[in-house]
Amino acid sequence: MTAHPSCADEPTADEATAHETAADEPTAHEAIADLRPMFEDAGVDGFAHARDIDGDREVGYRADAPVIIASLRKIPVALAYARRAASGVLDRAARHTITAANREGGGIGTDSCLHDVTMSTRDLAFFMLSMSDNAATDKLMELLGVDHVRALAAELGCPRMPVGRYRDLWDPVWEELGIDPYGDVDAQLDRVSEERIRGLAMLDPTRSASSTPREVTSLLTAIWRDRAGPAEACAEVRDLMSHQLSQHRLLAGFDDDVRVAAKNGALWGVLNEAGVVEYPDGGRYAVAVFLRTPALTGRNPAADAVIGRAARAAVDHLRATTPQEKTCP
């Protein structure tokens, strides 16, 4: 077993269908025909939701099923930072040092640095969203406070979203697997069976903190409508999300003239991405795609690609359907 990524029982078919046919998701059946075979062809379990930010149209596939969000949890952290910066409570230019106490060795950004790194409050948020830097996230969490970020997530409709320092989130995993976090974690993980990894509470959205595709697109919609806080704070989060370095999932599903601001995530057997796509004609759509993959680790081009394809299919559906054309199944 390889090292933990930087960043369950699935609902039955009947449970998923119950979500898909909810009264407030009238176009869901039309989207199922497009999304189900995409996920099946990629060999993954998929969940998706998309909504028109400036209207009331939405479409989804298993949109209310609980999902593991992995590093998408960094979006409310960024919003909490931006709100406090906009109010003057936090100084964007203040300097903070990331030390070994913040680093988990995730191999991304300052999390893999051998020595202490000092940067501004704003740049902590930039590293957190642009390259999913876990150490920068933990330093921000120290400044913001876990209770504050958790309350904000609940305020914005994501009450079960995992919030906390990464070290605190991973400690229960190491305990469940019997791993010494101060030893050679990679070597110890190599001796852990795949079955034990799959059985972790962390990977079961019914036993651990989670969210749903619909909750995530609702959060993004609030940010893009300037309803998640002061306009200045919402604008800063939108800008930070537009700098994500990863371009092989959601972004790959859209043409070059479409602006994409997004955040992705990964854990053992989990891949996801959520963001907002903005078209030259002014159309804006929040979309979230979550996958459970058969392999726990390693590259999965088919899974990466289907995130972009599913997001594009859902958005295309919204753009092709006017409110007058919609009919309830």
Side-chain angles (χ1 to χ4, degrees), residues 55 78 174 191 203 215 258 287:
W174 304 144
R191 297 190 290 270
L203 299 179
E215 286 179 354
V258 178
V287 59

Side-chain angles (χ1 to χ4, degrees), residues 27-41 59 61 306 309-310 312-314 316-317:
T27 62
H29 274 220
E30 298 170 69
I32 291 172
D34 296 328
L35 299 184
R36 187 190 298 273
M38 284 188 189
F39 292 137
E40 291 176 348
D41 289 346
V59 63
Y61 175 65
V306 82
R309 290 174 55 219
R312 176 65 178 267
D316 282 352
H317 182 87

